[in-house]
Amino acid sequence: MLTVYNTLAREKQVFTPIEPGRVRMYVCGMTVYDLCHIGHARMLTAFDVIVRWLHASGYEVNYVRNITDIDDKIIKRSLEAGITPEALTERTIAEMHEDLAKLLLLPPTHEPRATQHVHGMIHIVEGLIAKGRAYPAANGDVYYAVREFPGYGKLSGKSIDDLRAGERVDVDPHKRDPLDFVLWKAAKPGEPQWDSPWGKGRPGWHIECSAMSEHHLGTHFDIHGGGEDLQFPHHENEIAQSEGCHDHTYVNYWLHNGFVRLQGEKMSKSLGNFFTIRDVLKHFDGEVVRFFLVRAHYRSPVNYSDELMRDAKAGLDRLYTALKLCPPTARAPIDWHSDYAQRFKAAMDDDFATSDAVAVLFELAAEVNRSGSAELAAQLKGLAGILGLLQRDPEAYLQGGPTAEGEISAEQVEALILARAEARKAKNFAESDRIRDELLKNGIVLEDSAQGSSWRRQ
């Protein structure tokens, strides 16, 4: 029985989809003005694993992950670069897809872009105005009247009075209340703009997700996810928009992942303390990055450092080494009645506890090493595959990975191994030992067997 932590309820709840056997799920994706960083990778990987487990549990999943391709930051960055917003977003989307493929993320069922759904946004705003929950202002903007929605604050646990007392809000003379937020922005010279009943303009940020989720999933669906920083105001405002327009529940389960932290601070572009995915992939294999993220529970904070990344690599190496020493004879179906599979399932059914599921993988790998069982090796590969891990040829993984400047290449390693074999054949053991030491100094570990010498990177 799958349980999930529902941010709205502030507790774990048994997951029951609206429609038996089918899950409709929306996750707030990227604002495409710059390269994705590791904090983004954490969010995207967390929900990729959730989708994979839902599939493994027998659900048909309609997974929608949006792209914000119109935004103040996009406009500012395109002006700085001297290119159109469309040119900037197309380039950034292509770069994002390249990075996420290296992290072994599955593509979503739908990946809508905000600019494709402006008509739907206008329709929701019209509905809110008709119900008295939004109002056009004299400056051409349209605002949501927060005090006209009684449930405002139920996701974040913030009351309107507390927000007024404790939150810094914009002072805008066109708003009826400082907490009101913009749904539609009047056009400014040189900015992208669309026709609307209130004049030319463009949508605010929050309204886009209400429109895109409604288009692909309907006005009431199962799961909405995103980073914990989106709880307020973005997801709170989504609820106000969608429930304010349709007068019924918007989402049943709200899931939020924890931050990636660098030296104790949240990693973010606004703080300037971030590493892009591409920065990290210069030094670590994409599957190592994925393993680093997956081995922590999605709701817990993750500390990032090179030392912790190296530790993740060592752990993934151990799992792949078990498969290398005892390769599965065939891709066998997972035996869900086995003790390992049962404990793996129990972990994943407990709010997607990947940290516990990974611990089961290590136990299984140790048993594979002890027993030499190809059947258990197949189970290891099958269970790990649910997390998007261990699906490559073990030797290719162990010998692969990014080659930093000055690092020894695979071709050089093979040449040295051949030279060492010739030295051993000539009984020149001093030369043989020198070559082994040279390889080890370059991070290459040799493993001799009756079949010859194999190698892996440390």
Side-chain angles (χ1 to χ4, degrees):
M1 184 180 293
L2 174 62
T3 61
V4 301
Y5 185 87
N6 186 354
T7 307
L8 184 64
R10 293 167 182 76
E11 65 179 6
K12 288 183 187 178
Q13 296 179 326
V14 174
F15 176 70
T16 305
I18 297 167
E19 185 178 357
R22 296 185 176 182
V23 177
R24 286 175 286 161
M25 173 172 161
Y26 185 92
V27 171
C28 289
M30 302 307 305
T31 300
V32 285
Y33 71 98
D34 204 348
L35 294 170
C36 297
H37 61 61
I38 288 298
H40 300 138
R42 202 292 162 89
M43 181 274 291
L44 295 165
T45 303
F47 288 99
D48 179 75
V49 169
I50 287 171
V51 170
R52 286 172 181 267
W53 183 244
L54 291 171
H55 281 306
S57 301
Y59 290 108
E60 178 186 323
V61 184
N62 186 356
Y63 174 32
V64 181
R65 188 184 70 214
N66 79 295
I67 290 174
T68 297
D69 61 344
I70 180 64
D71 169 89
D72 291 341
K73 294 175 183 176
I74 291 170
I75 294 169
K76 181 176 183 291
R77 184 64 57 87
S78 66
L79 288 171
E80 292 170 349
I83 58 177
T84 65
E86 294 80 8
L88 173 66
T89 57
E90 286 297 331
R91 183 186 73 196
T92 309
I93 290 168
E95 292 167 337
M96 176 187 73
H97 286 157
E98 288 175 12
D99 291 348
L100 300 190
K102 291 175 182 175
L103 299 185
L104 309 176
L105 266 68
L106 299 173
T109 315
H110 302 284
E111 193 175 51
R113 302 185 186 188
T115 54
Q116 299 168 342
H117 291 269
V118 175
H119 178 75
M121 300 177 208
I122 291 172
H123 178 72
I124 294 174
V125 175
E126 288 179 314
L128 290 168
I129 292 173
K131 290 178 181 289
R133 289 173 174 152
Y135 56 93
N139 63 351
D141 292 351
V142 180
Y143 295 99
Y144 190 99
V146 166
R147 288 191 180 272
E148 298 302 322
F149 181 66
Y152 195 81
K154 63 183 177 181
L155 180 68
S156 59
K158 301 175 185 288
S159 73
I160 290 179
D161 291 334
D162 288 343
L163 289 168
R164 286 295 305 273
E167 295 287 335
R168 182 179 181 273
V169 294
D170 294 329
V171 178
D172 185 338
H174 298 98
K175 292 182 179 182
R176 296 176 183 172
D177 187 296
L179 293 177
D180 293 350
F181 59 89
V182 68
L183 299 168
W184 185 262
K185 297 183 176 185
K188 294 179 182 177
E191 290 188 353
Q193 53 191 256
W194 289 262
D195 291 324
S196 82
W198 319 285
K200 291 185 179 295
R202 61 185 175 89
W205 174 36
H206 310 298
I207 192 65
E208 67 177 55
C209 287
S210 287
M212 285 185 278
S213 62
E214 179 177 327
H215 178 86
H216 289 284
L217 302 174
T219 60
H220 179 206
F221 55 95
D222 300 295
I223 296 174
H224 195 314
E228 65 180 353
D229 56 327
L230 297 183
Q231 288 182 37
F232 185 87
H234 184 54
H235 289 165
E236 195 74 72
N237 290 352
E238 273 191 69
I239 292 173
Q241 291 163 167
S242 294
E243 295 189 1
C245 183
H246 300 296
D247 290 315
H248 61 67
T249 298
Y250 175 40
V251 173
N252 285 358
Y253 303 91
W254 287 87
L255 276 58
H256 294 94
N257 67 276
F259 295 136
V260 173
R261 298 186 177 277
L262 185 66
Q263 296 177 339
E265 282 193 306
K266 172 198 168 190
M267 187 180 289
S268 72
K269 288 179 179 176
S270 62
L271 294 174
N273 64 340
F274 66 93
F275 294 102
T276 68
I277 295 173
R278 294 196 169 191
D279 290 336
V280 178
L281 289 175
K282 291 175 183 175
H283 305 284
F284 297 97
D285 183 271
E287 190 172 353
V288 171
V289 179
R290 182 183 181 89
F291 182 69
F292 166 74
L293 298 170
V294 165
R295 67 180 184 171
H297 191 280
Y298 79 96
R299 286 194 291 113
S300 65
V302 173
N303 293 310
Y304 178 87
S305 69
D306 283 350
E307 181 181 358
L308 290 171
M309 285 296 299
R310 286 192 289 270
D311 179 69
K313 182 186 183 305
L316 189 61
D317 285 356
R318 290 201 300 275
L319 295 176
Y320 262 116
T321 299
L323 293 182
K324 177 175 179 261
L325 297 176
C326 184
T329 54
R331 182 180 287 275
I334 296 170
D335 177 10
W336 288 108
H337 297 291
S338 72
D339 174 65
Y340 293 108
Q342 283 285 301
R343 288 191 288 120
F344 183 94
K345 183 179 188 303
M348 294 301 291
D349 276 345
D350 183 13
D351 192 33
F352 315 103
T354 53
S355 51
D356 293 337
V358 167
V360 174
L361 296 183
F362 279 113
E363 290 181 37
L364 185 50
E367 184 59 34
V368 169
N369 288 333
R370 282 193 297 268
S371 67
S373 168
E375 182 180 345
L376 287 178
Q379 294 295 294
L380 172 61
K381 185 169 184 174
L383 290 173
I386 293 172
L387 303 180
L389 301 168
L390 301 189
Q391 301 308 291
R392 294 150 71 183
D393 174 75
E395 190 162 284
Y397 162 78
L398 291 166
Q399 295 180 1
T403 304
E405 185 177 351
E407 192 172 64
I408 191 167
S409 68
E411 291 77 12
Q412 291 171 311
V413 172
E414 295 292 351
L416 285 168
I417 289 175
L418 182 61
R420 178 172 175 264
E422 292 296 327
R424 295 178 75 186
K425 187 176 179 180
K427 300 190 183 304
N428 187 349
F429 299 114
E431 176 64 6
S432 169
D433 290 344
R434 186 197 67 77
I435 293 173
R436 174 186 280 275
D437 291 344
E438 180 182 345
L439 287 167
L440 189 59
K441 187 171 66 176
N442 283 280
I444 304 300
V445 177
L446 293 184
E447 294 166 344
D448 295 323
S449 69
Q451 288 74 40
S453 297
S454 62
W455 62 277
R456 61 179 174 85
R457 296 190 187 274
Q458 271 186 328

